[in-house]
Structure formats: C-alpha cells, structure tokens
Amino acid sequence: MSTPLVRLCLDEATAKRVADVLEEAFPFGEASIAAFEVTKDDWTVEVYGGPDATAEELASALREALGPESAGLRIEADAVEEADWVAKSLAGLAPVPAGRFVVHGSHDRDKIPADVIGIEIEAALAFGTGHHGTTRGCLLAIDELLTERRFERVLDLGSGTGVLAIAIGLAQQAPVLATDIDETSARIAGENAEANGAGAFVESIHATSFDHPVFAERGPFDLIVANILAGPLVELAPDVKRHLAADGRVVLSGLMNHEEDRVLAAYAAEGLGLISSRQLEGWSTLMLKA
C-alpha cells in the first residue's frame, strides 16, 4: 500500500511560511507536514497524506489551501511505500529553545540540559509541536512575563497540544486551565500534561465557548494566552476582556504580521494596551495588558 506525497522545493523563508499555512489549513490527522533544509539556499516541504487520498488529490487540496500563493510554486505529486511518516518527519525536527523552555520530541529526550524546562511533544491530532513560529513566540512571551511576576489564575485558550499550559504549569508549579473547542485536542493536552509531569497543574477541558461554567468558576484570570487564528481572536476580544482580572496580561498569537493592526484594534476597543509585539517567521505574538 502506498502513501501519497506532495513535495515543494523552496527557499527557506517561503518553505517555513508554506509549512505554517498548511499546518493551519489541513484538518488534524489528514496530513503529516515537514519542512527541512536540503542545501544552504534550498528547502523542501513534504506533505504525506492519508491512505484514502491519491497524490493528485493531495496536490489539489494543497493548492486550494495555499490559494493564490500556489501559482508560483513547483508542486511534485508522487506516491511512496507506506510508512510512519509522522515518526519520520519528527526524527528530523531539532529541539526548539524558547527562553527557559525547550520543546522536543522523544527522540531528543536524552539531549535536553538539566537547567531548562523540557517539554516533550509529539505530533498527533492536535496543533502545537513548538516548531511553529506562533508557539515559540508565545513561549518567549511567557518566559518574559514569568520573570516579572507570578500568575495565580491562568487560562490557555485553544490549548492544542497543551504546550503553553504545560510550560506555565511547570515553571510556576501552579494551576493552569487549558481549554479547546476540539474534544480530541483537549484530551491530548491532558495526556501531554501527564506525560510531562504537569498533570497536577494542568486541567484540560473541552469547552466550545465562554458559556462553559468553568470560565466563571476559575476566573477572572490574571494571565490569558491564546494561540489560535486572527479571526477568532478578534471575535473573542470582548470575552477575553470580560474574563481578565484587573492588571491582567494577555498573550495572543496565530496571527500573521499583516493581521496585527486588525487584532490590536479589537483589543484596544476593549481597553487593552500593547506591551510588545514579536515577529517570527511571518507570524506575530502580541503581549497586552488590562
């Protein structure tokens, strides 16, 4: 049995941007995406599809996901012998340092220094392995905030794999509420917290909206982190403000650089001010205060 493969040969900046867009666009579990360096100036993005798709169908879905940007790309469709492509792509991913944190896969477990907080995350059916510019941006912002003060009531909104909640829980040895609208993601976040020794700190909940009673029970929050997408971030601005404590802090990511002004305007309208903005690989991370 063969696995459909689509390959794109690009420069480094384009390869990272394309991989990020595809990670956001493809439904969880439908594709394994890897970007890696071939030579100093040449990078490759490889997308392995599930057994129910052909290489041509995968290429078509990829073009649709990329939209107009796909017009100038050379897309090669092929089929390869079936294998565990998630594991193979993970094997090429190096640990990602972000301040006091290092996100890594199990294949690098023994290489993590004792003086950092290692967070082991494998690719699964939820977003957030640390290799995405948004995740690293959030971790850097969190690291900065935790040097300034301790946060007693923390919310990781749209937690994905739970990497941000785990980071905060381990760093502070204190409770963090992690929520996601996707039931599978909420389950995986809880499993990852247990696997990383943060099970006592991270409570992972499936919550489709702020109407869930857990938000009223655990709030108001003095720190809210949300690594989702620009559209939902804008829509959630009033709810985020409503559940934020006085003098609280907010970390937002999942938005591209050109979407900063739109997201900032939505939160400024709720009375939140910008502390800092960080750009990594075409993505922005915003730090706000009440």
Side-chain angles (χ1 to χ4, degrees), residues 233-234 237-238 240-241 250 252 260-274 286 288-290:
L233 287 176
V234 169
V240 169
K241 177 56 173 28
V250 177
L252 304 176
E260 270 196 33
D261 290 345
R262 175 186 170 206
V263 175
L264 282 172
Y267 285 81
E270 300 298 328
L272 275 67
L274 178 67
L286 306 176
L288 310 173
K289 62 180 178 180

XYZ file of all heavy atoms in Angstrom, residues 233-234 237-238 240-241 250 252 260-274 286 288-290:
196
model
N -9.557 35.405 17.287
C -9.019 36.331 18.293
C -9.814 37.627 18.312
O -10.111 38.171 19.386
C -7.540 36.626 18.007
C -6.541 35.509 18.313
C -5.140 35.922 17.876
C -6.551 35.144 19.792
N -10.146 38.138 17.143
C -10.946 39.366 17.062
C -12.324 39.145 17.677
O -12.802 39.950 18.479
C -11.061 39.833 15.595
C -12.100 40.947 15.463
C -9.706 40.306 15.079
N -12.381 39.015 21.578
C -11.851 40.146 22.354
C -12.763 40.561 23.514
O -12.285 40.723 24.650
C -11.566 41.333 21.430
N -14.072 40.730 23.302
C -14.929 41.119 24.441
C -14.949 40.072 25.551
O -14.938 40.420 26.741
C -16.310 41.280 23.794
C -16.035 41.545 22.350
C -14.825 40.721 22.036
N -12.569 37.825 26.227
C -11.269 37.817 26.889
C -11.206 38.943 27.917
O -10.789 38.736 29.063
C -10.127 37.944 25.860
C -8.790 38.217 26.557
C -10.029 36.677 25.008
N -11.616 40.134 27.523
C -11.608 41.269 28.458
C -12.518 41.002 29.657
O -12.163 41.302 30.804
C -12.062 42.544 27.732
C -12.167 43.765 28.645
C -10.854 44.029 29.354
C -10.795 45.307 30.150
N -12.005 45.848 30.688
N -2.301 39.457 28.679
C -2.811 38.612 27.606
C -1.691 38.388 26.595
O -0.997 39.328 26.216
C -4.027 39.258 26.902
C -4.495 38.398 25.725
C -5.166 39.476 27.891
N -1.294 36.826 22.761
C -2.060 36.395 21.595
C -1.122 36.020 20.462
O -0.151 36.725 20.182
C -2.979 37.513 21.098
C -3.971 38.128 22.092
C -4.714 39.280 21.432
C -4.934 37.086 22.614
N -1.743 42.120 12.445
C -1.532 42.734 13.762
C -2.502 43.880 14.029
O -3.138 43.945 15.091
C -0.095 43.260 13.887
C 0.874 42.266 14.439
C 2.164 42.944 14.903
O 2.090 44.101 15.376
O 3.227 42.314 14.792
N -2.591 44.835 13.098
C -3.395 46.037 13.324
C -4.853 45.692 13.581
O -5.508 46.293 14.451
C -3.289 46.987 12.125
C -1.920 47.629 12.004
O -1.156 47.575 12.993
O -1.609 48.173 10.928
N -5.364 44.720 12.829
C -6.760 44.306 12.998
C -7.007 43.730 14.391
O -7.990 44.067 15.053
C -7.102 43.273 11.928
C -8.470 42.645 12.030
C -8.612 41.540 10.992
N -9.794 40.747 11.184
C -9.927 39.495 10.798
N -8.910 38.888 10.186
N -11.048 38.836 11.002
N -6.107 42.864 14.846
C -6.269 42.248 16.162
C -6.069 43.280 17.267
O -6.845 43.345 18.234
C -5.287 41.074 16.326
C -5.352 40.504 17.744
C -5.600 39.979 15.303
N -5.048 44.112 17.120
C -4.805 45.153 18.131
C -5.982 46.098 18.266
O -6.337 46.509 19.381
C -3.539 45.943 17.761
C -2.208 45.272 18.083
C -1.056 46.070 17.489
C -2.035 45.120 19.591
N -6.613 46.458 17.154
C -7.756 47.366 17.186
C -8.904 46.755 17.984
O -9.591 47.455 18.759
C -8.211 47.694 15.773
N -9.135 45.453 17.820
C -10.222 44.788 18.534
C -9.985 44.814 20.036
O -10.919 45.024 20.828
C -10.364 43.350 18.042
N -8.743 44.631 20.460
C -8.448 44.608 21.895
C -8.305 46.016 22.466
O -8.626 46.247 23.642
C -7.218 43.738 22.161
C -7.567 42.272 22.044
C -7.632 41.653 20.791
C -7.902 41.521 23.163
C -8.013 40.326 20.668
C -8.287 40.196 23.045
C -8.341 39.599 21.794
O -8.734 38.292 21.672
N -7.843 46.951 21.647
C -7.810 48.347 22.094
C -9.221 48.851 22.369
O -9.447 49.632 23.305
C -7.123 49.211 21.043
N -10.175 48.394 21.567
C -11.571 48.792 21.765
C -12.106 48.280 23.099
O -13.079 48.835 23.637
C -12.436 48.257 20.620
N -11.462 47.222 23.643
C -11.860 46.684 24.943
C -11.006 47.238 26.076
O -11.128 46.804 27.223
C -11.746 45.156 24.916
C -12.608 44.481 23.873
C -14.088 44.728 24.082
O -14.509 44.856 25.254
O -14.828 44.784 23.078
N -10.134 48.204 25.756
C -9.327 48.848 26.780
C -8.005 48.183 27.081
O -7.350 48.520 28.073
N -7.567 47.239 26.227
C -6.287 46.583 26.446
C -5.193 47.283 25.640
O -5.394 47.621 24.472
C -6.348 45.102 26.045
C -6.876 44.133 27.113
C -8.345 44.397 27.403
C -6.685 42.688 26.670
N -4.042 47.490 26.280
C -2.940 48.183 25.623
C -1.803 47.244 25.259
O -1.590 46.222 25.919
N -1.072 47.596 24.230
C 0.039 46.773 23.754
C 1.265 46.975 24.635
O 1.695 48.096 24.883
C 0.369 47.140 22.308
C 1.553 46.392 21.674
C 1.227 44.916 21.503
C 1.916 47.025 20.328
N 1.540 38.946 20.295
C 1.251 40.199 20.968
C 1.141 39.987 22.479
O 0.522 39.022 22.933
C -0.073 40.787 20.460
C -0.197 40.962 18.938
C -1.594 41.469 18.595
C 0.867 41.899 18.408
N -0.316 41.975 25.756
C -1.218 43.074 26.094
C -1.428 43.148 27.600
O -1.203 42.186 28.326
C -2.575 42.887 25.392
C -2.572 42.606 23.901
C -3.970 42.269 23.411
C -2.006 43.786 23.130
N -1.903 44.307 28.051
C -2.226 44.473 29.474
C -3.575 45.152 29.611
O -4.010 45.918 28.750
C -1.157 45.295 30.180
C -1.005 46.731 29.656
C 0.077 47.451 30.427
C 0.273 48.887 29.884
N 1.312 49.601 30.622
N -4.242 44.855 30.728
C -5.551 45.466 31.003
C -5.372 46.919 31.380
O -4.342 47.304 31.899
C -6.241 44.695 32.126
